[in-house]
Amino acid sequence: MNDPRSPILSGVVSLAHGNGGRHMRALIDAVFARHLANPLLDTTLDAAPLPAMEGEILFTTDGYTVQPLEFPGGTIGSLAVHGTVNDLAVSGATPLYLSLGALIEEGLELSQLERIVASCARAAAECGVRIVAGDTKVLRRGEGGGLYLTTSGIGVRSRSAALGMQHIRPGDAVLVSGPVGDHGTAVMLAREQFGLRGELHSDSASVLPLTRALLEFSGLRFMRDPTRGGLATVCHEISVATGLGMHLQQAAIPVRDPVQSVCDMLGYDPYYLACEGRVVAVIAEDQADAALAAWQALPQGSEAARIGQVAADIRHVVLHTPLGGSRILEELEDDPLPRIC
Amino acid sequence: MPRSAQDWLDLIRALPLEGRRVRVMNVCGGHERSIAQAGLRGALPSSIELIPGPGCPVCVCPEEDVYEAIQLALRENVLLTAFGDMLRVPVNAPKGEPRSLEQAKARGADIRPIASPMEAAALARANPQRTVVFFAAGFETTMAPVAAMVLEAPPPNLLLLLSGRLTWPAVAMLLNSDRPGFDALVAPGHVATVMGANEWRFIVEDHGLPAAVAGFSPQSLLAALYSVLRQLLERHPFLDNCYPELVTPAGNATARRLLDQAFTVDEANWRGVGVIPASGFTLRPHLAAHDARLRYPSPADAQRKRAGQMPPGCDCAQVVLGRIYPDECRLYGRACRPDAPIGPCMVSDEGACRIWWASGVRTPRAA
């Protein structure tokens, strides 16, 4: 296909787009700068000067390698923004600035790259963050999965937001902001590897409204977005770090029917599948109901639930099943493989 | 009004089972997974023991077949493909040789995990200059789509290394032994969907034991449990079907026809168990051109130590036969863990050891 804007920008990304010369300049101007434009983004500078910030500055970075690059509910571009924004948000910060590094594999369709960068820009606008620095490199064909993105983020928080696992106490309540496993399952379906189709969308989104709503509560101890490894992994990490156990009620944990069905078919456990727009929060027992109500009043939190309690009587994460049985949610062993039958 | 899982559990709890010990065997990794995931063992009265039996195709796949797959994968120009959970099954290879397909892959062998037999044919079509070997292990449920694929004229460069097994002969073997080890059977839902419930009538007719086909929800499993317990208490065994949504008495006629057109049924070796009559699938002569064993004579090596056996100290054979629970193995949770499995039962998601580990049983049972 041809792009009317410039012959340099038709078809696919080539090695010339990474050579530092005219082609690279064209790619940056026409794709990255055009979509990501904001007053602080100047692609001619080596480093971006940022205005002075009030409060404690938080800094984070993350790499993104999802396949396929576009999936129902998002793209690697929106994921790269939401992921880094969410890491800042669950730390109690307001995200302000991002950098974006793109490793592009030779042969990637320019039209697809443009769609992804546009979704990146939309996500950044929704989250109220600005992309102020960037880099592109082109990898030789076969050396990359189409496109890898890295975002680093800077945010600020008021010094009173003392969140951390060290504040967690026995008796604290555990909340989750919505159904778990949507992203992991949606991406799996989008790979079409198993010949399964579904109407499922990734939950990829900013969790900023959710984290802001809970920062009001003095009893808030800790928040985390359950990405890789899912809900079970976050709970397990809390248990290991605090030396405390956790009782989770299976009946209370929201899981969508299509997610459960795919898991039943392929032998996956939904509690270990990635979410990209959920928050797990630990909060003092006496404030849990009010916090849950605050979440449920938000569109992102309408399906939020109170799912369990931190406990001193055990040292594991124990899932209590609706039938009165129980099992331990342990650390994920290795990448789950679909089973034979 | 269909009963819920809780209703069935209440019915089971109300049965007069005090002072009895009832051992109910399942022969499907999917059942064992559902039991573990729902925490059924803890919810049931202590008089009921749920015993995982020979229900894991990866676990019973002969050691020498996995060794053969590794040797084929290491050949020049061979692309080997297998279901994902075969990749980490360990064999008794001499020092310095790869001990699993995963290790062979790390040494440069081209090995691709797949989830469906159709992907094997697609790989062969996409790589016409290469020999694509599909290491096909599995029970009837898996072998039916393998049959469908190989009967649909796959490309000539696709070869099958077949390790298909039938489920019921292993149960018959147990029942004909001096230690069957169970009082009732929950028959496998997936296998019965293909082969029909009637395949399990011999449990009742030849051995007088209660049996019920179950699906994979706690509700269906508890219904089947309630059925076999009542059969036992009333001394009136019959074959019950608690998965009528999918299972019919005669099974899936098309799938059975495909199996019959593609394979003969012969005696076959089961890892750690031995040779069981009429328990393995073999490619029919008209498909010989796709038989990897005919193209590449077996690399059987009389010198290879412990060929065909379980690794030293590993009790997988006892676990597969339901003679011990996974955590009663001397290696469980100590030397044998999913990150460094010693026996096949710790590898596959169908394997009882792996399922128990995944459901949180992390330490061996105190002796």
Side-chain angles (χ1 to χ4, degrees), chain A residues 341, chain B residues 22-37 40-41 44 48-57 59-60 139 167-168 170-172 174-175 180-191 200 203 209-217 220-222 224-225 228 270 318-326 349-353 355-356:
Chain A
C341 92
Chain B
V22 184
R23 299 162 301 171
V24 185
M25 180 175 274
N26 73 74
V27 287
C28 171
H31 279 164
E32 184 55 26
R33 260 184 80 87
S34 297
I35 289 167
Q37 294 230 325
L40 289 191
R41 284 195 176 84
L44 287 166
I48 303 168
E49 276 192 58
L50 301 181
I51 299 176
C56 164
C59 307
V60 301
F139 288 139
T167 319
W168 70 264
V171 179
L174 273 178
L175 285 171
F182 61 97
D183 311 302
L185 184 84
V186 170
H190 286 146
V191 171
W200 298 92
I203 304 282
L209 294 186
V213 180
F216 297 86
S217 62
S220 179
L221 274 164
L222 287 168
L225 265 178
V228 296
W270 293 52
Q318 303 288 347
V319 172
V320 163
L321 293 173
R323 300 232 156 103
I324 63 170
Y325 285 112
D349 277 335
E350 300 277 297
C353 297
I355 293 167
W356 280 45

Side-chain angles (χ1 to χ4, degrees), chain A residues 267 321 327 330 334 339, chain B residues 33 37-38 88 350 357 362:
Chain A
T321 70
R327 67 183 165 106
E330 259 291 356
D334 48 31
R339 61 169 185 241
Chain B
R33 260 184 80 87
Q37 294 230 325
R88 304 186 65 211
E350 300 277 297
W357 180 275
R362 293 290 161 103

Side-chain angles (χ1 to χ4, degrees), chain A residues 17-103:
Chain A
H17 287 116
N19 68 1
R22 195 160 63 88
H23 284 70
M24 188 173 113
R25 170 59 38 205
L27 179 75
I28 289 172
D29 285 349
V31 178
F32 288 92
R34 192 163 68 88
H35 286 286
L36 303 174
N38 67 70
L40 288 174
L41 178 65
D42 182 342
T43 60
T44 66
L45 294 181
D46 286 321
L50 301 177
M53 285 170 261
E54 296 248 339
E56 192 180 9
I57 295 175
L58 280 85
F59 183 44
T60 185
T61 189
D62 215 339
Y64 300 85
T65 60
V66 68
Q67 291 293 340
L69 300 175
E70 298 173 275
F71 47 85
T75 73
I76 190 173
S78 57
L79 199 62
V81 170
H82 291 145
T84 296
V85 162
N86 291 348
D87 283 349
L88 291 167
V90 294
S91 308
T94 300
L96 295 173
Y97 308 109
L98 297 185
S99 72
L100 174 68
L103 300 174

Side-chain angles (χ1 to χ4, degrees), chain B residues 141-193:
Chain B
T141 329
T142 312
M143 285 301 121
V146 171
M149 185 273 288
V150 74
L151 290 168
E152 267 181 18
N157 61 324
L158 179 75
L159 303 183
L160 261 66
L161 180 63
L162 205 63
S163 285
R165 296 289 179 269
L166 288 95
T167 319
W168 70 264
V171 179
M173 188 271 302
L174 273 178
L175 285 171
N176 291 324
S177 75
D178 55 348
R179 277 196 298 158
F182 61 97
D183 311 302
L185 184 84
V186 170
H190 286 146
V191 171
T193 305

